[in-house]
Amino acid sequence: MDETNQILRELRAAIQEYDAARAGALAERSLAEGIPQVDSLAAMTEAIREVGEAFGRGDLFLPDLIGAAKALEAALPVLRQAMIDEAERPETRGVVVLGTVLGDVHTIGKGMVSALLTANGFEVHDLGVNVATSDFIAAVRDRQARILAMSALLTSTAVQIGPVVKGLEEAGLRRQVLVAIGGGAVTAELAHALKVDAYHATAPGGVDLIVSMLEDKAEAGLA
């Protein structure tokens, strides 16, 4: 038990210290030691959540967020693949399609959102960056997604969110999917204007909002 706790503490620290190589190695070590993937993922989620909240308060800065996200991205695929191979994941709470909008190649925060949603029991399909409107819509339709999460860091690319929302409406998919947006260029005013369902200034806050909204819908018999 002490060895397990030590590895999880080191995994948390690797992300908070922006050490991608160490994070990846510790993820591999956790598997070798038989530590449940969900426990390792929970430790990573706690670490990235703390970094995101500190960034939101202004205690940390953009390089800190980038470093933590890269460390997370080094460890996360190791655990995800093991979870798939061993079928350890519990029944999914729903499918999420995630991506950065057309013209935008920034991944900051997207990895954090993906990890947090995975930790909350969702099946996440990350389309990557510079995602075309048609690709978002096709993925929502083909994956029967419950959530579409889009990110835009640039003001010039945030305008691409609108065509995706319109495309969902035209395809008859808008009512089936909760649309969440975030990123440096996104504001509450923009979210309201585009009539999306969820927006938060931070990745942890956004994921908490999504989970809360889905729970409310389930209690109301709408999910």
Side-chain angles (χ1 to χ4, degrees), residues 97-145:
V97 168
L98 172 70
T100 303
V101 298
L102 186 66
D104 202 317
V105 296
H106 295 86
T107 61
I108 299 167
K110 185 163 66 67
M112 188 187 308
V113 170
S114 177
L116 290 169
L117 286 169
T118 300
N120 276 280
F122 292 94
E123 179 184 337
V124 179
H125 295 274
D126 189 344
L127 302 182
V129 301
N130 193 31
V131 181
T133 295
S134 58
D135 291 337
F136 275 124
I137 294 168
V140 168
R141 181 185 61 245
D142 296 344
R143 301 285 185 179
Q144 297 185 332

Side-chain angles (χ1 to χ4, degrees), residues 15-16 29 31 81 99 147-148 154 159 162 171 177 180:
I15 291 173
Q16 293 177 326
R29 184 180 169 193
L31 295 177
Q81 189 56 52
I147 300 163
L148 170 60
L154 306 175
V159 296
V177 63

Side-chain angles (χ1 to χ4, degrees), residues 101-102 104 152-163 185-186 190 194:
V101 298
L102 186 66
D104 202 317
L153 188 67
L154 306 175
T155 302
S156 58
T157 58
V159 296
Q160 297 296 331
I161 296 171
V186 178
L190 178 63
L194 294 175

Side-chain angles (χ1 to χ4, degrees), residues 5-24:
N5 290 337
Q6 179 62 28
I7 292 172
L8 294 179
R9 282 195 296 269
E10 290 182 14
L11 182 56
R12 248 189 334 263
I15 291 173
Q16 293 177 326
E17 294 168 5
Y18 324 138
D19 191 336
R22 186 166 164 239

Side-chain angles (χ1 to χ4, degrees), residues 36-221:
Q37 292 92 322
V38 290
D39 291 349
S40 298
L41 185 57
M44 293 165 54
T45 300
E46 179 183 347
I48 202 70
R49 180 186 294 274
E50 290 175 359
V51 171
E53 290 175 349
F55 176 75
R57 293 192 305 268
D59 295 335
L60 293 178
F61 303 96
L62 190 57
D64 300 297
L65 190 62
I66 294 172
K70 286 183 177 179
L72 178 76
E73 289 169 0
L76 188 58
V78 175
L79 299 175
R80 274 183 175 162
Q81 189 56 52
M83 293 171 95
I84 292 170
D85 292 344
E86 296 180 15
E88 182 178 315
R89 287 178 59 182
E91 183 177 351
T92 179
R93 297 175 74 172
V95 173
V96 180
V97 168
L98 172 70
T100 303
V101 298
L102 186 66
D104 202 317
V105 296
H106 295 86
T107 61
I108 299 167
K110 185 163 66 67
M112 188 187 308
V113 170
S114 177
L116 290 169
L117 286 169
T118 300
N120 276 280
F122 292 94
E123 179 184 337
V124 179
H125 295 274
D126 189 344
L127 302 182
V129 301
N130 193 31
V131 181
T133 295
S134 58
D135 291 337
F136 275 124
I137 294 168
V140 168
R141 181 185 61 245
D142 296 344
R143 301 285 185 179
Q144 297 185 332
R146 194 176 187 189
I147 300 163
L148 170 60
M150 293 180 284
S151 174
L153 188 67
L154 306 175
T155 302
S156 58
T157 58
V159 296
Q160 297 296 331
I161 296 171
V164 177
V165 176
K166 183 178 180 181
L168 290 171
E169 293 172 349
E170 292 174 346
L173 299 170
R174 181 65 183 92
R175 289 188 177 183
Q176 79 176 45
V177 63
L178 186 155
V179 178
I181 61 175
V186 178
T187 63
E189 291 76 16
L190 178 63
H192 178 74
L194 294 175
K195 299 180 180 179
V196 300
D197 302 298
Y199 158 76
H200 197 278
T202 69
V207 172
D208 288 344
L209 179 59
I210 289 171
V211 172
S212 175
M213 292 177 70
L214 290 178
E215 288 176 347
D216 288 346
K217 287 180 67 176
E219 289 177 3

